[in-house]
Amino acid sequence: MLASYSLQVSAQTENSAGSQAPQVEEIQIWGQQLGQRSDLSHPASVLTQADLLSINVATTEDIVKYEPSLVIRRRFIGDSNGTMGMRGANMFQTSRSMVFADGVPLHYLLQSRWNGSPRWTLVSASEIAQVEVLYGPFSALYSGNAMGGVVNIESAIPQEREFHFDSSFFSQDFGAYGFDDRLNGYKTFFSAGDKIGDLSLYFSFNRLENDAQPQTFYNGSPSSAPNSTGVSGGIVGNDQMGVNRLWLGDTGVVNTETNNYKIKLGYDFNQWSALLNLAYEDRFSDNAPNSYMRAADGSTVWGGTVNQDGSTVSIPASRFSVGAQDRDSLSTGLRLRGPVLENSELEINLNHFSILRDESRNSQRHPLDPTHTPSGQVTDFGDTGWSGAEVKMVSTLSESGNMTLTTGLRHDSYQMDIAVYTSDDYQSGIKSAMSSRSGGETMLQAAFAQLNWVPHEQWEVQVGARQEWFRSHGGFFSVGSGAGLTLNSVPEQKRSSFSPKFSAAYQATDRWTLSYAAAKAYRYPIVEELFSQYQAYNAINQSNPELRPEDGLHHNLGIEYGVAGGYIRLNVFQESIKDVIESQSETLPGGLSVRTFVPIDQVDTLGTEFIANVSGLLNDRLDVRFNVTYTDNEIVENRVDPGIEGNVYPRMPTWRSNLMATYRINSQLDVGLNHQYADSSFGRNDNRDLEQGVFGAQDGYSRTGIKGNYRLQNGFTFSAGVDNIANDIDYVAHPWPGRTLYLNVSYDW
């Protein structure tokens, strides 16, 4: 049957290496069989730990960053803003992709752009057994937030007493503008599990500490003020628009510390199974900016109007403020599965995510500034989080098993409350007076059905539909500040949408398979886009409570050729999306950043993916995963600003490619090569940011890494690797890491 064949050629961990392959313990997961695709309605890719031998893995994002048509903007190890873009969605359209770990949502549908990153740290890279990447919204089981795709992570469930430990050291060289230093980091993970009768127990702890390169470099605004301080030390160079600037400082080293505690309890009763997930994250980060400017007496200059070699610029003292963030989060998930009726299986997923504390503290000035005081600003997330519930039933409708029906209901609710306070003592987090507050709630309910039919051994057809009901309510924003602050309510929304889905696959021969999929999808606005409205020292955020949902029509045409040990696949996809919710930022003179949410009438994407995943080459010793993606992305219509029609949508490279190759020297030793490539793109809708190799640019990049693994018979494994061997300094607005060394030791018992 076609289903069996497709699963076979997609089983990317099936290894034909014979005696040369390392011995891998049998692993049980809650999802489908290890190494197999779960849903043929999607263009998909599957990863297991055996596929990751050639890459240096520090955090969960590393596991998926080499997959086709997928980009992760993780600026440094430990970055809380590891945003993800898939296919026609760029890395800042975070609400167009979904991430689940054991059925628990990790996607962060509260904020967008850099703040909208999935909560990757709630699952540790060391506990993952399998990752399935689904492209596009071709299944009725997912909301319109799957316009780009879905990442489904499954972790292992203990079947016997086990213990795992691993520890990593990483170190990078980084030099840009006036900064040049070596920066180090550490990761420690351990887990313990056991199965006692019908009860499975698992506990893990993951600690990550890292010092990262500065993420922002400062320049001053041209000034004609008659009085200025003569300085030296500034760096002369262009910005991303090609304008010559005097660069005066940076945000300094970013220090991050993240602790993650995980408990999983599995229980089998009769023919039912239950899995409880509890994950707690404790995260701290801080940074202290550097000023390059020196006065004639050698003292550091921290702001004001300055002059260097005839260039007079002004920079506010708040530009060099120091910052710190404390963030504590708790994620709870429960999954139940078991048979009901005669030929049906029921699955229930319940989840809740709470921000226990999320507090950012900023000074008015740098502590080394002679005019520094304890005054500052505190930003606090109060009643913020989400909850979800889903019930899904899979029923076999025919005696032969060639027809199954999946039906279900889902409810998701999100709420956010942001308050900004002036502080008489920012280090202690004193909230002296409220300067702004905003927030609100959204709710999305859905009913879905999907029929899978195999009318002939060479054919499979899937038809589905999803009905959604959306409501935004309780929105508010503040006017005034302190004792005069009042809250104004904003209009609520009620909308509904119907999304049909269709896919078909035809196995022409034993090796050739053709497929086609089409789907409608509606991506509703998230809480931040509707309600988040505030002004901080260096930023203004302007929401839009009347935003309509993004309206997408998606197609995928695929052809696949099965080979021994894998497959070669070509996908052609097309996306046409109306009312694209665009988060646009503009930096005003003096460094104030203004962000608004304005819809673009229509953006179209035409793309092609070539994928070759093959194991067992060169006498069964070499495994290769290679992909290349071409996208033609265009702003087709924009009535608000017709001048950008015909432009390339921001942050969408035309060409992208990835390579992972692992060569097994023997059963104990293997070496790997990895490579990532993307050409340059634009960061602005007007496509005027053409400068490359500068802060704020959207550089192309070509980065190569290597890794070696040596396994001992006593359970220890030693690994060493290097990323970005050429030590390129590339900017995707912010700088990515320089050459980075990795050393790792692990032990399994």
Side-chain angles (χ1 to χ4, degrees):
M1 290 176 60
L2 177 64
S4 301
Y5 170 77
S6 297
L7 292 176
Q8 178 185 352
V9 299
S10 300
Q12 298 166 26
T13 59
E14 287 194 6
N15 204 308
S16 58
S19 60
Q20 298 294 338
Q23 296 299 310
V24 180
E25 253 184 278
E26 182 180 351
I27 298 174
Q28 182 171 342
I29 61 176
W30 244 68
Q32 69 283 359
Q33 184 179 340
L34 192 68
Q36 293 186 343
R37 292 166 60 179
S38 64
D39 190 342
L40 297 180
S41 68
H42 270 92
S45 180
V46 178
L47 286 160
T48 71
Q49 289 286 352
D51 295 310
L52 308 175
L53 297 175
S54 62
I55 63 175
N56 298 295
V57 177
T59 58
T60 300
E61 303 99 304
D62 291 323
I63 290 178
V64 296
K65 70 182 183 181
Y66 292 91
E67 288 304 275
S69 299
L70 186 151
V71 61
I72 300 285
R73 192 206 71 152
R74 193 196 67 178
R75 303 167 299 171
F76 55 87
I77 297 172
D79 188 7
S80 64
N81 300 332
T83 60
M84 180 176 68
M86 298 177 67
R87 285 202 163 177
N90 69 32
M91 63 185 71
F92 273 2
Q93 291 173 302
T94 54
S95 51
R96 281 203 205 164
S97 56
M98 308 179 81
V99 183
F100 296 90
D102 296 321
V104 179
L106 302 185
H107 43 266
Y108 193 71
L109 302 183
L110 290 172
Q111 294 178 275
S112 65
R113 287 178 72 93
W114 54 85
N115 290 320
S117 166
R119 293 301 176 100
W120 298 106
T121 50
L122 293 176
V123 59
S124 302
S126 301
E127 68 177 294
I128 295 174
Q130 173 172 295
V131 179
E132 182 183 37
V133 182
L134 308 173
Y135 294 93
F138 300 113
S139 171
L141 278 59
Y142 302 100
S143 72
N145 298 105
M147 277 184 172
V150 180
V151 174
N152 280 319
I153 299 171
E154 294 286 345
S155 63
I157 299 175
Q159 299 302 300
E160 58 184 357
R161 185 166 299 174
E162 61 180 42
F163 175 80
H164 173 83
F165 168 83
D166 64 69
S167 184
S168 301
F169 167 77
F170 19 88
S171 179
Q172 68 150 318
D173 288 316
F174 185 86
Y177 294 93
F179 183 92
D180 190 4
D181 202 355
R182 174 170 284 277
L183 305 163
N184 301 323
Y186 311 86
K187 189 196 87 163
T188 300
F189 174 88
F190 72 83
S191 66
D194 199 358
K195 186 165 186 180
I196 305 170
D198 293 327
L199 177 66
S200 296
L201 306 168
Y202 176 89
F203 170 79
S204 69
F205 171 72
N206 190 64
R207 178 172 176 82
L208 175 67
E209 299 179 59
N210 190 41
D211 289 337
Q213 72 278 12
Q215 289 302 296
T216 300
F217 297 92
Y218 299 137
N219 60 63
S221 300
S223 174
S224 58
N227 298 319
S228 60
T229 301
V231 300
S232 60
I235 310 296
V236 177
N238 288 351
D239 64 11
Q240 73 271 28
M241 306 293 289
V243 178
N244 194 253
R245 299 284 191 179
L246 184 63
W247 299 89
L248 305 172
D250 59 57
T251 49
V253 172
V254 184
N255 172 261
T256 61
E257 298 177 8
T258 305
N259 296 304
N260 177 263
Y261 306 83
K262 172 74 73 69
I263 296 174
K264 290 188 294 189
L265 300 175
Y267 188 71
D268 300 324
F269 52 100
N270 296 325
Q271 293 179 289
W272 280 74
S273 297
L275 180 64
L276 175 67
N277 262 287
L278 297 172
Y280 171 74
E281 175 203 64
D282 173 16
R283 175 183 169 82
F284 172 79
S285 66
D286 65 359
N287 69 289
N290 300 309
S291 172
Y292 308 152
M293 301 179 290
R294 300 293 182 268
D297 62 1
S299 62
T300 302
V301 177
W302 294 103
T305 302
V306 300
N307 180 285
Q308 178 175 312
D309 299 330
S311 297
T312 302
V313 297
S314 63
I315 186 166
S318 62
R319 176 57 74 191
F320 290 102
S321 68
V322 299
Q325 182 191 42
D326 279 301
R327 189 178 82 184
D328 299 332
S329 305
L330 177 65
S331 173
T332 306
L334 175 64
R335 186 160 63 173
L336 300 168
R337 180 184 294 163
V340 294
L341 305 176
E342 184 176 351
N343 296 306
S344 298
E345 184 175 82
L346 187 70
E347 181 176 322
I348 300 172
N349 283 285
L350 305 173
N351 64 271
H352 183 72
F353 177 87
S354 297
I355 294 180
L356 305 179
R357 178 176 62 160
D358 192 336
E359 184 178 273
S360 297
R361 303 178 295 277
N362 297 88
S363 66
Q364 282 188 336
R365 298 170 182 267
H366 196 284
L368 298 180
D369 188 332
T371 61
H372 170 73
T373 69
S375 298
Q377 182 173 269
V378 176
T379 302
D380 182 51
F381 283 75
D383 296 327
T384 298
W386 68 74
S387 60
E390 181 182 72
V391 56
K392 178 173 59 178
M393 186 166 65
V394 181
S395 303
T396 303
L397 303 183
S398 61
E399 292 184 4
S400 63
N402 69 338
M403 183 178 293
T404 58
L405 176 66
T406 303
T407 56
L409 301 171
R410 185 166 185 97
H411 171 91
D412 290 290
S413 60
Y414 302 87
Q415 60 181 9
M416 185 168 67
D417 190 338
I418 306 176
V420 181
Y421 300 86
T422 59
S423 176
D424 294 332
D425 184 355
Y426 73 93
Q427 287 184 315
S428 301
I430 299 299
K431 300 171 183 176
S432 303
M434 185 180 292
S435 58
S436 69
R437 185 182 170 200
S438 62
E441 300 181 39
T442 64
M443 181 177 65
L444 186 64
Q445 295 177 319
F448 56 86
Q450 187 158 280
L451 178 69
N452 185 280
W453 181 36
V454 183
H456 185 270
E457 62 180 9
Q458 291 180 284
W459 280 95
E460 180 174 2
V461 178
Q462 195 167 82
V463 179
R466 188 178 183 93
Q467 176 69 44
E468 294 179 320
W469 296 269
F470 172 81
R471 182 189 176 200
S472 66
H473 60 101
F476 63 89
F477 66 93
S478 63
V479 177
S481 61
L485 183 143
T486 60
L487 298 180
N488 290 352
S489 61
V490 299
E492 70 173 41
Q493 284 196 48
K494 288 185 178 180
R495 298 181 184 274
S496 63
S497 59
F498 179 76
S499 304
K501 319 283 183 178
F502 170 81
S503 65
Y506 172 66
Q507 182 182 337
T509 69
D510 289 343
R511 293 187 177 271
W512 289 98
T513 303
L514 305 175
S515 63
Y516 171 72
K520 284 286 292 183
Y522 295 87
R523 199 281 282 182
Y524 284 94
I526 59 176
V527 180
E528 181 189 49
E529 295 164 341
L530 294 168
F531 302 128
S532 177
Q533 194 154 305
Y534 63 87
Q535 180 168 349
Y537 279 152
N538 299 316
I540 295 175
N541 200 82
Q542 180 68 45
S543 60
N544 186 345
E546 297 181 352
L547 287 170
R548 297 187 299 270
E550 296 183 331
D551 178 352
L553 179 60
H554 302 252
H555 303 269
N556 188 92
L557 179 63
I559 182 170
E560 182 175 301
Y561 181 72
V563 298
Y567 59 85
I568 298 172
R569 183 183 301 155
L570 182 70
N571 287 318
V572 179
F573 60 91
Q574 198 276 336
E575 304 174 4
S576 182
I577 302 177
K578 298 178 180 179
D579 297 320
V580 174
I581 300 174
E582 169 71 356
S583 174
Q584 302 185 61
S585 294
E586 188 71 28
T587 301
L588 303 180
L592 182 66
S593 175
V594 179
R595 181 162 59 145
T596 58
F597 297 97
V598 180
I600 292 177
D601 293 316
Q602 184 172 332
V603 176
D604 287 357
T605 302
L606 178 63
T608 303
E609 300 163 347
F610 173 80
I611 305 163
N613 292 342
V614 184
S615 63
L617 300 172
L618 299 182
N619 296 321
D620 295 336
R621 293 178 181 266
L622 178 65
D623 297 342
V624 175
R625 294 174 68 95
F626 171 74
N627 58 77
V628 59
T629 301
Y630 167 84
T631 54
D632 180 9
N633 190 279
E634 181 183 353
I635 299 174
V636 176
E637 183 181 1
N638 187 50
R639 287 168 291 180
V640 174
D641 182 8
I644 66 172
E645 293 180 359
N647 286 0
V648 178
Y649 194 69
R651 299 177 181 264
M652 289 296 298
T654 302
W655 290 96
R656 287 178 286 188
S657 68
N658 300 284
L659 170 68
M660 294 192 296
T662 302
Y663 185 78
R664 290 180 296 277
I665 298 174
N666 54 47
S667 61
Q668 291 182 280
L669 178 64
D670 57 71
V671 294
L673 174 73
N674 60 75
H675 184 76
Q676 282 190 301
Y677 168 82
D679 62 2
S680 61
S681 57
F682 300 101
R684 297 167 56 98
N685 288 328
D686 58 21
N687 292 179
R688 293 193 297 116
D689 50 329
L690 299 173
E691 194 79 12
Q692 297 290 294
V694 299
F695 172 72
Q698 299 292 321
D699 286 344
Y701 53 86
S702 181
R703 293 180 160 231
T704 302
I706 57 173
K707 183 184 179 184
N709 303 284
Y710 183 68
R711 288 170 289 274
L712 301 179
Q713 299 298 327
N714 59 4
F716 280 95
T717 299
F718 297 90
S719 304
V722 179
D723 276 348
N724 189 15
I725 293 175
N727 199 28
D728 292 335
I729 302 301
D730 304 308
Y731 296 86
V732 182
H734 303 278
W736 280 8
R739 182 190 298 115
T740 305
L741 169 70
Y742 296 80
L743 300 174
N744 178 266
V745 58
S746 67
Y747 174 75
D748 285 283
W749 176 78

